[in-house]
Amino acid sequence: AQKITQTQPGMFVQEKEAVTLDCTYDTSDQSYGLFWYKQPSSGEMIFLIYQGSYDEQNATEGRYSLNFQKARKSANLVISASQLGDSAMYFCAMPLSGTSYGKLTFGQGTILTVHP
Amino acid sequence: EAGVAQSPRYKIIEKRQSVAFWCNPISGHATLYWYQQILGQGPKLLIQFQNNGVVDDSQLPKDRFSAERLKGVDSTLKIQPAKLEDSAVYLCASSLTRGHYNEQFFGPGTRLTVL
């Protein structure tokens, strides 16, 4: 069964600095994807970035980038030049295969606090 | 394009009462998901629809929860009767179709408090 682990319950970063949020996963699939979502206090889940297991390059979307290390089964999110609005809960997620095709399994989440 | 709509945003009920949540997905999205998110945890899938058919409801407590997606568009999730442990945020999401590479778009959620 697939599993996502986020080991950092909370992270703090100074405004304008970079921060890395960790995510490790376990899957026996050869082809898979990984998503990162942001959940501000308003509750809505906002898609940030996607990495496919066969993508040759690490995904980037503006200030967000993925440090994808397939052999280590890690997909860490890097946020550059942190802003106060980045304070939120961040989730790593993986779609399941088999009969639950497409269903997302989420990690426990990391609360990021950006200090001015 | 309009996002996923959910209502109500907040609901407070007594245990053993009934409650219903409504979701309108993004136009053209065939797949609709209901997730339950307990405070401090990641969302957990309750049920997945493909058009108006149920694809996966393995984690839906069927003795008290029910869901339908009439005509393959809007969906309603019902809890009857509610228990204290049902207090959570209920998130609706939609995607173009099922798959590893299809981004799921989430609604704002309904925060349920059961007293």
Side-chain angles (χ1 to χ4, degrees):
Chain A
Q2 281 137 306
K3 186 178 178 182
I4 296 282
T5 302
Q6 294 178 254
T7 57
Q8 306 156 313
M11 289 287 287
F12 295 88
V13 66
Q14 207 72 25
E15 194 178 7
K16 300 179 186 176
E17 293 186 347
V19 63
T20 298
L21 306 183
D22 294 343
C23 172
T24 58
Y25 59 91
D26 188 20
T27 181
S28 56
D29 291 346
Q30 294 301 309
S31 175
Y32 53 89
L34 290 147
F35 291 86
W36 275 92
Y37 283 87
K38 171 185 177 181
Q39 188 176 41
S41 56
S42 59
E44 188 170 353
M45 299 284 279
I46 302 167
F47 166 75
L48 295 178
I49 197 167
Y50 169 82
Q51 178 80 46
S53 59
Y54 283 109
D55 291 342
E56 292 186 355
Q57 294 187 339
N58 286 345
T60 61
E61 289 283 351
R63 295 186 299 110
Y64 304 107
S65 61
L66 247 167
N67 182 1
F68 182 52
Q69 299 187 46
K70 198 170 178 178
R72 290 187 170 186
K73 294 190 174 180
S74 74
N76 299 337
L77 177 70
V78 181
I79 304 175
S80 62
S82 296
Q83 301 172 355
L84 296 177
D86 293 335
S87 293
M89 178 77 99
Y90 289 81
F91 289 99
C92 182
M94 170 183 280
L96 295 179
S97 56
T99 56
S100 299
Y101 191 53
K103 161 183 166 181
L104 286 175
T105 187
F106 287 84
Q108 306 92 313
T110 297
I111 299 175
L112 176 65
T113 304
V114 181
H115 289 301
Chain B
E1 86 188 347
V4 176
Q6 287 188 250
S7 68
R9 290 295 312 276
Y10 305 92
K11 190 75 177 178
I12 300 174
I13 61 172
E14 302 274 338
K15 61 182 179 183
R16 291 187 288 273
Q17 284 187 323
S18 301
V19 65
F21 313 127
W22 173 82
C23 173
N24 181 240
I26 292 174
S27 177
H29 280 196
T31 312
L32 186 146
Y33 312 80
W34 282 102
Y35 290 87
Q36 179 193 57
Q37 186 178 19
I38 292 172
L39 186 65
Q41 299 181 17
K44 181 188 80 172
L45 183 81
L46 292 175
I47 189 166
Q48 178 182 1
F49 291 93
Q50 182 71 10
N51 297 309
N52 61 352
V54 175
V55 172
D56 181 356
D57 63 356
S58 57
Q59 297 202 70
L60 187 74
K62 298 181 188 63
D63 58 333
R64 298 183 300 106
F65 286 65
S66 64
E68 59 183 8
R69 191 182 183 196
L70 299 175
K71 301 179 182 178
V73 182
D74 293 5
S75 177
T76 303
L77 177 70
K78 296 180 182 177
I79 308 175
Q80 181 180 8
K83 292 186 175 181
L84 296 176
E85 58 261 34
D86 298 332
S87 293
V89 175
Y90 291 84
L91 294 164
C92 179
S94 70
S95 61
L96 274 173
T97 185
R98 300 170 70 198
H100 283 184
Y101 312 109
N102 286 289
E103 177 190 342
Q104 293 183 25
F105 295 83
F106 284 80
T110 297
R111 187 178 299 273
L112 174 67
T113 302
V114 183
L115 303 175

